[in-house]
Amino acid sequence: MQTLPALLPPDPEAPFPPAESALREPDGLLAIGGDLSPARLLNAYRRGIFPWYSQGQPILWWSPDPRMVFDTARIRLPSRFRRSLRGSGWSVRADTAFDRVIRGCAETPRPGQHGTWITPAMQAAYRALHRHGHAHSVEVFDGERLVGGLYGVAVGRMFFGESMFSGVSGGSRAALAALAWRLRAWGWPLIDAQVENPHLLRLGARHCARPEFLAAVAELTGLPGRTGSWTDAFGTPTAAELAASAATGHTA
């Protein structure tokens, strides 16, 4: 008989059920309910769990197997894209336009999707995590025009990617390359990409079995990280610097 996902209690500090108890079908569904408070979200991410649901549904919590991850030293940038970066004049920042990035992610149409899972409640929750210094945005600018970006959650030395968007072709790839470049320099080896899609695979994401992923999360989230704004520490890498880094094997 199919086991039902757990119903979370009202207390945001209450523990989640073990990720290993997630359903096989739908893959990774672990629990229902609760809230999107910073305490609950951070508790989830430390255990390899994330929220994902549509407008009108209860909050659903997931830990799929396998997980999609990026190794920060192995982001794949095709040579044609690297050439376009060299001539683009783009630059990258962090945590200077979080609201614009999460709104861009929510409003960008996705093939095969109707509406967005980044509901107003989800946006408010990650803005709160941003104010707490755990949610971060990476933004790609052409002058002062935002052309792409991504956002996610940092706990310890683990980055959990949530969503990315391109206002101009290649904007999200540049954001991911810049994030991986900076995290690699900081000694952060992994970016969680949650679930498989063809775009992630083309960028170099790989499958990671749940036991391996959970072990990595337990180790990395327990290490000293970078809480608070990343703007100064991240700097302002240029697209040309990203292209040169990829060409020498630092991101590809």
Side-chain angles (χ1 to χ4, degrees), residues 166-186:
S166 292
V168 173
S169 179
S172 63
R173 282 183 289 176
L176 178 62
L179 173 65
W181 187 38
R182 188 58 74 214
L183 293 183
R184 180 177 182 272
W186 290 348

PDB file of all heavy atoms in Angstrom, residues 166-186:
ATOM      1  N   SER A 166      16.498  34.440 -17.973  1.00  0.00           N
ATOM      2  CA  SER A 166      17.216  35.228 -18.964  1.00  0.00           C
ATOM      3  C   SER A 166      16.278  36.269 -19.546  1.00  0.00           C
ATOM      4  O   SER A 166      15.236  35.913 -20.111  1.00  0.00           O
ATOM      5  CB  SER A 166      17.756  34.347 -20.099  1.00  0.00           C
ATOM      6  OG  SER A 166      18.768  33.490 -19.644  1.00  0.00           O
ATOM      7  N   GLY A 167      16.642  37.546 -19.406  1.00  0.00           N
ATOM      8  CA  GLY A 167      15.937  38.595 -20.116  1.00  0.00           C
ATOM      9  C   GLY A 167      16.481  38.739 -21.520  1.00  0.00           C
ATOM     10  O   GLY A 167      15.789  39.191 -22.431  1.00  0.00           O
ATOM     11  N   VAL A 168      17.738  38.353 -21.692  1.00  0.00           N
ATOM     12  CA  VAL A 168      18.426  38.297 -22.980  1.00  0.00           C
ATOM     13  C   VAL A 168      19.078  36.923 -23.057  1.00  0.00           C
ATOM     14  O   VAL A 168      19.554  36.396 -22.041  1.00  0.00           O
ATOM     15  CB  VAL A 168      19.482  39.413 -23.089  1.00  0.00           C
ATOM     16  CG1 VAL A 168      20.314  39.264 -24.347  1.00  0.00           C
ATOM     17  CG2 VAL A 168      18.825  40.791 -23.050  1.00  0.00           C
ATOM     18  N   SER A 169      19.112  36.332 -24.233  1.00  0.00           N
ATOM     19  CA  SER A 169      19.668  34.989 -24.379  1.00  0.00           C
ATOM     20  C   SER A 169      21.049  34.890 -23.732  1.00  0.00           C
ATOM     21  O   SER A 169      21.927  35.709 -23.990  1.00  0.00           O
ATOM     22  CB  SER A 169      19.769  34.632 -25.861  1.00  0.00           C
ATOM     23  OG  SER A 169      20.334  33.352 -26.026  1.00  0.00           O
ATOM     24  N   GLY A 170      21.227  33.877 -22.886  1.00  0.00           N
ATOM     25  CA  GLY A 170      22.503  33.648 -22.230  1.00  0.00           C
ATOM     26  C   GLY A 170      22.637  34.281 -20.866  1.00  0.00           C
ATOM     27  O   GLY A 170      23.605  34.017 -20.154  1.00  0.00           O
ATOM     28  N   GLY A 171      21.662  35.099 -20.467  1.00  0.00           N
ATOM     29  CA  GLY A 171      21.776  35.779 -19.174  1.00  0.00           C
ATOM     30  C   GLY A 171      21.841  34.834 -17.994  1.00  0.00           C
ATOM     31  O   GLY A 171      22.636  35.025 -17.071  1.00  0.00           O
ATOM     32  N   SER A 172      21.017  33.788 -18.006  1.00  0.00           N
ATOM     33  CA  SER A 172      21.037  32.847 -16.884  1.00  0.00           C
ATOM     34  C   SER A 172      22.325  32.030 -16.865  1.00  0.00           C
ATOM     35  O   SER A 172      22.863  31.731 -15.796  1.00  0.00           O
ATOM     36  CB  SER A 172      19.817  31.920 -16.938  1.00  0.00           C
ATOM     37  OG  SER A 172      19.840  31.117 -18.101  1.00  0.00           O
ATOM     38  N   ARG A 173      22.840  31.676 -18.038  1.00  0.00           N
ATOM     39  CA  ARG A 173      24.098  30.914 -18.098  1.00  0.00           C
ATOM     40  C   ARG A 173      25.255  31.734 -17.541  1.00  0.00           C
ATOM     41  O   ARG A 173      26.116  31.212 -16.833  1.00  0.00           O
ATOM     42  CB  ARG A 173      24.393  30.491 -19.533  1.00  0.00           C
ATOM     43  CG  ARG A 173      23.594  29.293 -20.014  1.00  0.00           C
ATOM     44  CD  ARG A 173      23.988  28.885 -21.412  1.00  0.00           C
ATOM     45  NE  ARG A 173      23.532  29.849 -22.408  1.00  0.00           N
ATOM     46  CZ  ARG A 173      23.812  29.772 -23.696  1.00  0.00           C
ATOM     47  NH1 ARG A 173      24.587  28.794 -24.155  1.00  0.00           N
ATOM     48  NH2 ARG A 173      23.342  30.669 -24.540  1.00  0.00           N
ATOM     49  N   ALA A 174      25.265  33.017 -17.864  1.00  0.00           N
ATOM     50  CA  ALA A 174      26.321  33.878 -17.327  1.00  0.00           C
ATOM     51  C   ALA A 174      26.212  33.983 -15.811  1.00  0.00           C
ATOM     52  O   ALA A 174      27.229  33.974 -15.105  1.00  0.00           O
ATOM     53  CB  ALA A 174      26.246  35.261 -17.973  1.00  0.00           C
ATOM     54  N   ALA A 175      24.985  34.081 -15.289  1.00  0.00           N
ATOM     55  CA  ALA A 175      24.795  34.146 -13.836  1.00  0.00           C
ATOM     56  C   ALA A 175      25.293  32.871 -13.167  1.00  0.00           C
ATOM     57  O   ALA A 175      25.980  32.909 -12.135  1.00  0.00           O
ATOM     58  CB  ALA A 175      23.323  34.386 -13.514  1.00  0.00           C
ATOM     59  N   LEU A 176      24.953  31.719 -13.742  1.00  0.00           N
ATOM     60  CA  LEU A 176      25.392  30.445 -13.170  1.00  0.00           C
ATOM     61  C   LEU A 176      26.911  30.315 -13.220  1.00  0.00           C
ATOM     62  O   LEU A 176      27.537  29.870 -12.251  1.00  0.00           O
ATOM     63  CB  LEU A 176      24.733  29.291 -13.922  1.00  0.00           C
ATOM     64  CG  LEU A 176      25.131  27.887 -13.472  1.00  0.00           C
ATOM     65  CD1 LEU A 176      24.731  27.635 -12.025  1.00  0.00           C
ATOM     66  CD2 LEU A 176      24.510  26.843 -14.399  1.00  0.00           C
ATOM     67  N   ALA A 177      27.514  30.709 -14.349  1.00  0.00           N
ATOM     68  CA  ALA A 177      28.973  30.624 -14.470  1.00  0.00           C
ATOM     69  C   ALA A 177      29.651  31.511 -13.443  1.00  0.00           C
ATOM     70  O   ALA A 177      30.648  31.118 -12.821  1.00  0.00           O
ATOM     71  CB  ALA A 177      29.401  31.019 -15.877  1.00  0.00           C
ATOM     72  N   ALA A 178      29.111  32.714 -13.226  1.00  0.00           N
ATOM     73  CA  ALA A 178      29.703  33.624 -12.251  1.00  0.00           C
ATOM     74  C   ALA A 178      29.550  33.084 -10.832  1.00  0.00           C
ATOM     75  O   ALA A 178      30.485  33.162 -10.019  1.00  0.00           O
ATOM     76  CB  ALA A 178      29.052  35.002 -12.361  1.00  0.00           C
ATOM     77  N   LEU A 179      28.380  32.543 -10.524  1.00  0.00           N
ATOM     78  CA  LEU A 179      28.175  31.953  -9.199  1.00  0.00           C
ATOM     79  C   LEU A 179      29.153  30.812  -8.967  1.00  0.00           C
ATOM     80  O   LEU A 179      29.812  30.745  -7.912  1.00  0.00           O
ATOM     81  CB  LEU A 179      26.741  31.446  -9.070  1.00  0.00           C
ATOM     82  CG  LEU A 179      26.431  30.662  -7.793  1.00  0.00           C
ATOM     83  CD1 LEU A 179      26.544  31.552  -6.559  1.00  0.00           C
ATOM     84  CD2 LEU A 179      25.055  30.014  -7.874  1.00  0.00           C
ATOM     85  N   ALA A 180      29.268  29.899  -9.926  1.00  0.00           N
ATOM     86  CA  ALA A 180      30.168  28.757  -9.759  1.00  0.00           C
ATOM     87  C   ALA A 180      31.616  29.228  -9.604  1.00  0.00           C
ATOM     88  O   ALA A 180      32.372  28.685  -8.788  1.00  0.00           O
ATOM     89  CB  ALA A 180      30.036  27.811 -10.949  1.00  0.00           C
ATOM     90  N   TRP A 181      32.010  30.206 -10.394  1.00  0.00           N
ATOM     91  CA  TRP A 181      33.365  30.755 -10.334  1.00  0.00           C
ATOM     92  C   TRP A 181      33.669  31.303  -8.945  1.00  0.00           C
ATOM     93  O   TRP A 181      34.701  31.008  -8.345  1.00  0.00           O
ATOM     94  CB  TRP A 181      33.504  31.845 -11.392  1.00  0.00           C
ATOM     95  CG  TRP A 181      34.873  32.416 -11.595  1.00  0.00           C
ATOM     96  CD1 TRP A 181      36.065  31.756 -11.567  1.00  0.00           C
ATOM     97  CD2 TRP A 181      35.194  33.781 -11.878  1.00  0.00           C
ATOM     98  NE1 TRP A 181      37.107  32.619 -11.822  1.00  0.00           N
ATOM     99  CE2 TRP A 181      36.593  33.865 -12.020  1.00  0.00           C
ATOM    100  CE3 TRP A 181      34.417  34.932 -12.047  1.00  0.00           C
ATOM    101  CZ2 TRP A 181      37.245  35.061 -12.300  1.00  0.00           C
ATOM    102  CZ3 TRP A 181      35.065  36.130 -12.338  1.00  0.00           C
ATOM    103  CH2 TRP A 181      36.466  36.190 -12.453  1.00  0.00           C
ATOM    104  N   ARG A 182      32.736  32.094  -8.411  1.00  0.00           N
ATOM    105  CA  ARG A 182      32.959  32.687  -7.096  1.00  0.00           C
ATOM    106  C   ARG A 182      32.914  31.631  -5.999  1.00  0.00           C
ATOM    107  O   ARG A 182      33.758  31.616  -5.087  1.00  0.00           O
ATOM    108  CB  ARG A 182      31.928  33.784  -6.847  1.00  0.00           C
ATOM    109  CG  ARG A 182      32.186  34.584  -5.584  1.00  0.00           C
ATOM    110  CD  ARG A 182      33.553  35.231  -5.587  1.00  0.00           C
ATOM    111  NE  ARG A 182      33.615  36.374  -6.485  1.00  0.00           N
ATOM    112  CZ  ARG A 182      34.699  36.708  -7.173  1.00  0.00           C
ATOM    113  NH1 ARG A 182      35.796  35.957  -7.102  1.00  0.00           N
ATOM    114  NH2 ARG A 182      34.699  37.765  -7.952  1.00  0.00           N
ATOM    115  N   LEU A 183      31.945  30.720  -6.047  1.00  0.00           N
ATOM    116  CA  LEU A 183      31.853  29.692  -5.005  1.00  0.00           C
ATOM    117  C   LEU A 183      33.084  28.800  -5.006  1.00  0.00           C
ATOM    118  O   LEU A 183      33.577  28.407  -3.941  1.00  0.00           O
ATOM    119  CB  LEU A 183      30.586  28.848  -5.204  1.00  0.00           C
ATOM    120  CG  LEU A 183      29.245  29.551  -4.986  1.00  0.00           C
ATOM    121  CD1 LEU A 183      28.104  28.549  -5.154  1.00  0.00           C
ATOM    122  CD2 LEU A 183      29.171  30.216  -3.622  1.00  0.00           C
ATOM    123  N   ARG A 184      33.577  28.473  -6.180  1.00  0.00           N
ATOM    124  CA  ARG A 184      34.789  27.644  -6.256  1.00  0.00           C
ATOM    125  C   ARG A 184      35.951  28.342  -5.555  1.00  0.00           C
ATOM    126  O   ARG A 184      36.710  27.710  -4.810  1.00  0.00           O
ATOM    127  CB  ARG A 184      35.136  27.357  -7.710  1.00  0.00           C
ATOM    128  CG  ARG A 184      36.381  26.493  -7.908  1.00  0.00           C
ATOM    129  CD  ARG A 184      36.586  26.207  -9.391  1.00  0.00           C
ATOM    130  NE  ARG A 184      37.747  25.348  -9.604  1.00  0.00           N
ATOM    131  CZ  ARG A 184      38.987  25.790  -9.763  1.00  0.00           C
ATOM    132  NH1 ARG A 184      39.237  27.087  -9.731  1.00  0.00           N
ATOM    133  NH2 ARG A 184      39.981  24.938  -9.960  1.00  0.00           N
ATOM    134  N   ALA A 185      36.086  29.646  -5.771  1.00  0.00           N
ATOM    135  CA  ALA A 185      37.158  30.401  -5.119  1.00  0.00           C
ATOM    136  C   ALA A 185      36.988  30.421  -3.608  1.00  0.00           C
ATOM    137  O   ALA A 185      37.979  30.484  -2.861  1.00  0.00           O
ATOM    138  CB  ALA A 185      37.198  31.831  -5.662  1.00  0.00           C
ATOM    139  N   TRP A 186      35.738  30.362  -3.145  1.00  0.00           N
ATOM    140  CA  TRP A 186      35.474  30.356  -1.703  1.00  0.00           C
ATOM    141  C   TRP A 186      35.588  28.958  -1.086  1.00  0.00           C
ATOM    142  O   TRP A 186      35.457  28.812   0.127  1.00  0.00           O
ATOM    143  CB  TRP A 186      34.059  30.887  -1.440  1.00  0.00           C
ATOM    144  CG  TRP A 186      33.877  32.354  -1.706  1.00  0.00           C
ATOM    145  CD1 TRP A 186      34.847  33.286  -1.933  1.00  0.00           C
ATOM    146  CD2 TRP A 186      32.620  33.049  -1.790  1.00  0.00           C
ATOM    147  NE1 TRP A 186      34.286  34.522  -2.141  1.00  0.00           N
ATOM    148  CE2 TRP A 186      32.925  34.411  -2.065  1.00  0.00           C
ATOM    149  CE3 TRP A 186      31.285  32.664  -1.658  1.00  0.00           C
ATOM    150  CZ2 TRP A 186      31.922  35.377  -2.210  1.00  0.00           C
ATOM    151  CZ3 TRP A 186      30.297  33.619  -1.802  1.00  0.00           C
ATOM    152  CH2 TRP A 186      30.606  34.958  -2.075  1.00  0.00           C
TER     153      TRP A 186
END
